[in-house]
Amino acid sequence: MTEATAPGKIILFGEHAVVYGRPAIAVPVRDVRAKVTIQNLTAPSQAGSLWVESKAIGLSSWLHEIDGGHPLAKIITLTLEAIGLETVPSLRLAINSSIPLASGLGSGAAVSVAVSRALSEHLGRPLALKDLSSLAFEVDRIHHGTPSGIDNTVVVYDRPVYFIPGKEPERLEVGLPFMLIIGDSGQPSATIEAVAQVRDSWISDKPSMEALFDSIGSVTNQAREAIRDGDLPRLGGLMNQNQSLLLDLGVSTPTLELLIEAAGAAGAIGVKVSGAGLGGNIIALVDQDSQRAVKRALIANGASKVLYTEVSTEVSP
Ligand code: MEV
């Protein structure tokens, strides 16, 4: 049996602008993971058939019965191609993920990476991180046509990254570990709609949108310094600035704003939407003194789920 996992993720700075070539910062959320186990099938009747199971999406099926455009069929096929296997191996592939679906925590990218990693290891041809990342990127294109590549990158490397599309991801130096609270609005994160909406605005007014993306890029670069220096007050202020730019982009919602206000009033050092927006999560920078009050305030104001994550340079074992 082979088992492989991949973490959830959140975007700390630079979402949307990163699709237009600006930098962004993302970190893994290691307490929630996609886990894939693979076993050989030995019955002669199962020769050349791959069984796929995912409770979260209610799927139990042979690979050849799944639509080829389905993200799971796609990542399996791409992986088999990448390792040069021409016949489908007789295997049972089971996916168990604790990453909430459609919440902006990168569940799709994590499942792709865990599937590809488990499959290539089980078949004795483990793929390099770079290759795992490119395959997950291909699948992400199904979710929205123009992904920047940050989701698959942070999930594959499983460490905080400073990312510019088309460049090698850089390690993010974290001078002082810090704590974030992730508050789920309960509204599904609509990545495809949010990315399309921003694209429509960009098409109708390129100069204003480019200026907004530049401002977001500049906030992201300043945040990188604040994280390196362990300067949490500055980091919190930059999160608030990024949030007001996301409001200008039009991807916040009244529900997200309510959570942001509640977290701020309860003592969060900085708060913003994380990921595509139009639903999904907000993230709040907290310290020992404020974390309980912020968690309570988020729940009292309708958050459907609250997670903590610590950000540090450490790479997971
Ligand atoms: C989604 O996690 C982040 C976006 O910037 C889209 C992307 O980078 O592909 C909204």
Side-chain angles (χ1 to χ4, degrees), residues 133-215:
S133 191
S134 330
L135 298 186
F137 177 76
E138 277 309 306
V139 176
D140 219 16
R141 289 158 69 105
I142 302 177
H143 298 298
H144 70 96
T146 56
S148 64
I150 192 166
D151 290 5
N152 48 287
T153 300
V154 65
V155 163
V156 164
Y157 290 89
D158 201 347
R159 61 166 193 247
V161 291
Y162 172 86
F163 177 88
I164 300 177
K167 296 200 177 156
E168 281 293 307
E170 290 176 41
R171 180 184 289 266
L172 186 75
E173 251 185 86
V174 183
L176 192 69
F178 58 92
M179 178 70 83
L180 293 171
I181 296 190
I182 305 166
D184 190 338
S185 66
Q187 297 177 310
S189 160
T191 305
I192 196 156
E193 285 88 350
V195 169
Q197 182 185 301
V198 171
R199 175 139 328 246
D200 287 347
S201 309
W202 179 73
I203 288 168
S204 61
D205 186 354
K206 285 190 187 164
S208 309
M209 291 298 277
E210 288 289 332
L212 265 179
F213 297 148
D214 281 343
S215 303

Side-chain angles (χ1 to χ4, degrees), residues 268-306:
I269 308 165
V271 203
K272 67 183 277 294
V273 166
S274 171
L278 296 184
N281 293 301
I282 61 105
I283 50 174
L285 177 64
V286 292
D287 56 18
Q288 290 294 338
D289 297 337
S290 60
Q291 58 176 283
R292 282 187 180 187
V294 171
K295 179 179 178 181
R296 271 198 306 268
L298 288 173
I299 292 170
N301 283 276
S304 61
K305 208 173 281 127
V306 174

Side-chain angles (χ1 to χ4, degrees), residues 119-133:
L119 204 50
S120 61
E121 279 174 15
H122 189 84
L123 296 168
R125 303 279 303 275
L127 289 169
L129 296 182
K130 230 180 156 120
D131 298 328
L132 290 172
S133 191

Side-chain angles (χ1 to χ4, degrees), residues 9 11 15-16 18-19 144 147-148 150-151 195 275-276:
K9 65 88 202 168
I11 310 272
E15 46 274 273
H16 288 293
V18 67
V19 175
H144 70 96
S148 64
I150 192 166
D151 290 5
V195 169

